[in-house]
Amino acid sequence: MDWKIELIFVPVSDVDRSKEFYEKIGFHADHDQVPYEGLRFVQMTPPGSACSIAFGTNLGEGLLPGQQNTIQVVVPDADEALAHLRALDVDAQGVDEQDWGRFVTFDDPDGNTWTLQELPDYGAQA
């Protein structure tokens, strides 16, 4: 049986500001719906990802804005990811070199932390 993560909720305080931020860094807005009064659902997908994030109003995700700090995304090149974010005026932390990868971190406008990881070339280590 295949298991594929579809959606991760990200708690935000301002839906429009968050949507603008994620669009700026390259996410695609898949949905922005108000199925009924009081509920807004926004789904956005990072470039090349099969998994999306969602945020909105009254979704009941249980986290306060700024508490999501467990999202990790694989990127092909940490230096390129860092340059991309900084070119967009996103305050991204420089590349952290570890034996298990190269990491870049940044926060969205609410303080939710993202970690980008360039995986090591395990074939070159053999």
Side-chain angles (χ1 to χ4, degrees), residues 55-93:
F55 51 86
T57 54
N58 296 319
L59 295 175
E61 69 269 1
L63 291 175
L64 295 174
Q67 288 187 322
Q68 179 58 279
N69 62 3
T70 60
I71 301 174
Q72 187 162 317
V73 179
V74 173
V75 295
D77 185 316
D79 296 303
E80 184 179 318
L82 178 62
H84 170 75
L85 291 167
R86 287 187 173 166
L88 297 169
D89 293 323
V90 174
D91 185 23
Q93 303 303 307

Side-chain angles (χ1 to χ4, degrees), residues 8 11 13-14 18 27 29 34-35 40 55 58 60 62 64 68 73 78 87 99 105 107 112 117 125:
I8 296 172
S13 61
D14 184 323
S18 296
F27 284 41
V34 179
R40 181 173 177 194
F55 51 86
N58 296 319
L64 295 174
Q68 179 58 279
V73 179
D99 290 341
T105 59
D107 292 343
N112 296 299
Q117 179 184 15
Q125 297 174 6

Side-chain angles (χ1 to χ4, degrees), residues 40-52:
R40 181 173 177 194
F41 177 84
V42 177
Q43 181 174 333
M44 304 193 76
T45 304
S49 179
C51 181
S52 301

